[in-house]
Amino acid sequence: MVSEATPRTYCPNCGSETSAGDQFCRSCGHSLTGSISAAAAATGAPAAVVVAPASRRGWLALGVVIFLAIVAAAAFIGLQASGVLSPRHTITGTFDLIDTSGISSGISFLGGTCEGDGGYGDISAGTNVSLKDGDGKLLAST
């Protein structure tokens, strides 16, 4: 009489040998429910395979990556809005209004300050100034 040896089974996740009746791999903890045994694989017999859910470690890593991406995007948007990432330049200067016309004065003196007069009536102390580049793009205003 010839005795058949018990077929060996292996964990489909890590390849460790498992015992008959084991529901989980003793090495990696992978679910063995529905795993194909060596005998079933050798004979080509159909076997139901239950796909185990992804490991928690993978989901945790994905969650950490998504969290870090959100934090980085929020930091970038915050820095951009604050102007830290924009180049800054301090521009100082004076504006001199000189009237060389002998016919009508374009400058008037009121209370010790000079103001534009006639065609220069919009110029006075505290007048808003806009600085533009050669292409007409607004660089700054004050």
Side-chain angles (χ1 to χ4, degrees), residues 53-117:
S55 70
R56 286 187 181 193
R57 189 178 304 163
W59 284 110
L60 180 64
L62 179 62
V64 168
V65 169
I66 290 172
F67 175 76
L68 291 176
I70 291 170
V71 169
F76 178 76
I77 291 170
L79 288 173
Q80 187 72 11
S82 71
V84 171
L85 300 179
S86 301
R88 295 192 175 274
H89 305 284
T90 301
I91 299 172
T92 59
T94 59
F95 180 80
D96 297 323
L97 179 61
I98 302 172
D99 183 23
T100 58
S101 169
I103 300 172
S104 67
S105 176
I107 304 173
S108 63
F109 299 100
L110 300 173
T113 61
C114 296
E115 293 187 358
D117 195 17

